[in-house]
């Protein structure tokens, strides 16, 4: 159980043998969020500067659950853009490690694709070598998912990431004037029963849920054919398409910054003004950076923009699935929006299958 959580009676048997469904009226959402904010740090999507972002909130009226896409995914609350791992003194050799304790948090209003992205990132940071910083944040965070409708750049239907059966504690499906709430954990049931006023789902509600599922699946643009994708990557490693697509790359790293599944980082030391003490910093990095693959002696394993673009997509669609069985893309479309030269997964997959000629 998360620190600071409230203990209540389980609404279903301790074996969790059946799901727990409730209806939350939309006019009760603000009250739910504000109740949570008394116990947890609540992070939710809000409008900021013409776009949407996940920010800490206390006022439920700020929250925008009917948002198309946030600029930055919620991964920033698990893998910080920049963080101090420990402080050190180079003279004495003393180390002062960063406290792994974090405040209990509720990440509220996360789309299914972003929840699936967090599950993918878990395999990296909670796998063979557990990252204590990531682990502390993950264990102290409850996730409340929310349904969405696809925008033109979405392709979660290609990867099967438009739905979740694990990875969140509650999932809210929009039924118009109310939400169909699915509890996927005991903690989710706790916070719902403690902080929200809900009622049982009727036959009409369940029919409305079916209608939403049907509407969601029909709202996508023409699907991308992803069959035997890894074999296509095997065949096209030296294909001229990589030069055609990759040469215009600006090496800006925008796609990596907004991607919910990119996890590359750099580690640097930042010295204080005295040149004695300092901080070991971990920060986001991008494989598209011109110096990313440069090693001691000045050799660069991927000196061209095209070679770096190729590497990025081979990692997502060949290397990661070879180990973990899933493509390292959830089809959120953020990179499509961020890239100024039209490099995105849809174009790559279509070029692999049909050939890119320009």
């Amino acid at each position: 159980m998360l620190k600071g959580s409230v203990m209540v009676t389980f609404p279903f048997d301790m074996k969790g043998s059946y799901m727990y469904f409730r209806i939350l009226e939309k006019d009760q959402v603000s009250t739910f969020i504000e109740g949570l904010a008394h116990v947890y740090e609540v992070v939710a999507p809000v409008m900021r500067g013409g776009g949407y972002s996940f920010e800490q909130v206390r006022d439920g009226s700020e929250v925008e659950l009917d948002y198309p896409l946030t600029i930055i995914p919620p991964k920033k609350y698990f893998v910080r853009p920049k963080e101090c791992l420990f402080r050190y003194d180079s003279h004495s050799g003393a180390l002062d490690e960063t406290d792994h304790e974090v405040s209990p948090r509720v990440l509220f209003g996360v789309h299914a694709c972003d929840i699936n992205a967090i599950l993918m990132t878990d395999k990296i940071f909670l796998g063979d070598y557990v990252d204590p910083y990531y682990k502390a944040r993950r264990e102290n965070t409850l996730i409340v998912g929310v349904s969405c409708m696809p925008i033109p750049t979405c392709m979660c239907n290609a990867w099967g990431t438009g739905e979740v059966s694990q990875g969140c504690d509650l999932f809210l499906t929009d039924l118009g004037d109310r939400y169909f709430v699915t509890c996927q954990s005991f903690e989710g049931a706790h916070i719902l029963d403690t902080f929200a006023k809900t009622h049982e789902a009727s036959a009409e509600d369940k029919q409305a849920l079916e209608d939403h599922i049907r509407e969601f699946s029909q709202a996508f643009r023409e699907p991308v054919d992803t069959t035997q994708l890894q074999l296509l990557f095997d065949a096209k490693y030296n294909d001229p398409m990589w030069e055609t697509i990759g040469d215009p790359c600006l090496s800006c790293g925008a796609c990596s910054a907004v991607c919910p599944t990119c996890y590359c980082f750099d580690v640097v030391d930042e010295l204080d003004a005295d040149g004695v003490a300092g901080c070991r910093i971990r920060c986001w990095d991008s494989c598209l950076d011109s110096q990313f693959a440069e090693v001691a002696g000045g050799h660069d394993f991927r000196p061209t923009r095209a070679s770096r673009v190729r590497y990025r997509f081979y990692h997502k669609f060949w290397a990661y699935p070879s180990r973990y069985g899933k493509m390292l893309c959830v089809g959120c479309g953020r990179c499509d929006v961020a890239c100024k030269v039209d490099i995105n997964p849809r174009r790559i997959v279509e070029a692999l299958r049909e050939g890119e000629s320009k």
Side-chain angles (χ1 to χ4, degrees), residues 140 150 157 188 199 217 233 254 270 314 342:
N140 281 275
N157 57 336
H199 56 85
S217 64
F233 270 94
E270 291 187 355
Y314 265 82
D342 193 32

Side-chain angles (χ1 to χ4, degrees), residues 80-303:
R80 300 298 292 165
K82 182 178 181 179
E83 63 179 325
C84 179
L85 303 180
F86 58 81
R87 289 195 56 80
Y88 60 86
D89 186 300
S90 60
H91 283 183
S92 67
L95 294 178
D96 183 13
E97 290 193 41
T98 301
D99 189 356
H100 296 170
E101 294 291 329
V102 295
S103 300
R105 174 184 294 144
V106 175
L107 197 52
F108 200 103
V110 185
H111 287 171
C113 58
D114 282 335
I115 296 172
N116 278 292
I118 293 169
L119 291 173
M120 293 176 185
T121 312
D122 285 350
K123 295 183 183 298
I124 303 303
F125 291 97
L126 300 178
D128 296 335
Y129 302 96
V130 176
D131 183 285
Y133 309 94
Y134 183 93
K135 182 174 183 286
R137 296 181 187 119
R138 192 73 169 90
E139 290 181 346
N140 281 275
T141 302
L142 293 173
I143 297 177
V144 179
V146 68
S147 67
C148 61
M149 294 303 290
I151 59 177
T153 52
C154 290
M155 53 180 292
C156 62
N157 57 336
W159 315 119
T161 52
E163 58 182 306
V164 288
S165 58
Q166 58 178 321
C168 65
D169 299 278
L170 297 173
F171 194 85
L172 281 56
T173 302
D174 192 342
L175 302 184
D177 58 352
R178 63 203 186 282
Y179 289 105
F180 189 102
V181 186
T182 304
C183 297
Q184 295 191 6
S185 75
F186 291 127
E187 277 288 351
H190 290 336
I191 62 173
L192 188 67
D193 280 2
T194 303
F195 300 109
K197 183 179 179 181
T198 64
H199 56 85
E200 291 184 9
S202 66
E204 180 184 354
D205 295 322
K206 294 174 182 177
Q207 181 59 55
L209 179 65
E210 290 184 30
D211 294 340
H212 170 86
I213 294 170
R214 188 161 41 250
E215 182 183 359
F216 176 80
S217 64
Q218 294 172 352
F220 288 92
R221 57 190 282 197
E222 187 175 342
V224 178
D225 183 0
T226 59
T227 56
Q228 298 187 318
L229 191 57
Q230 284 181 279
L231 290 178
L232 282 172
F233 270 94
D234 288 340
K236 295 290 186 85
Y237 186 81
N238 292 313
D239 195 280
M241 61 161 275
W242 293 112
E243 302 295 326
T244 302
I245 296 176
D247 275 349
C249 175
L250 303 175
S251 298
C252 64
C255 56
S256 299
V258 301
C259 177
T261 62
C262 278
Y263 53 82
C264 287
F265 58 84
D266 194 8
V267 177
V268 297
D269 284 349
E270 291 187 355
L271 282 172
D272 296 343
D274 60 11
V276 175
C279 188
R280 174 86 30 108
I281 300 290
R282 175 167 67 182
C283 53
W284 288 359
D285 203 353
S286 171
C287 61
L288 296 176
D289 183 86
S290 60
Q291 297 178 324
F292 185 85
E294 186 176 322
V295 297
H299 179 72
D300 192 339
F301 286 95
R302 291 183 288 277

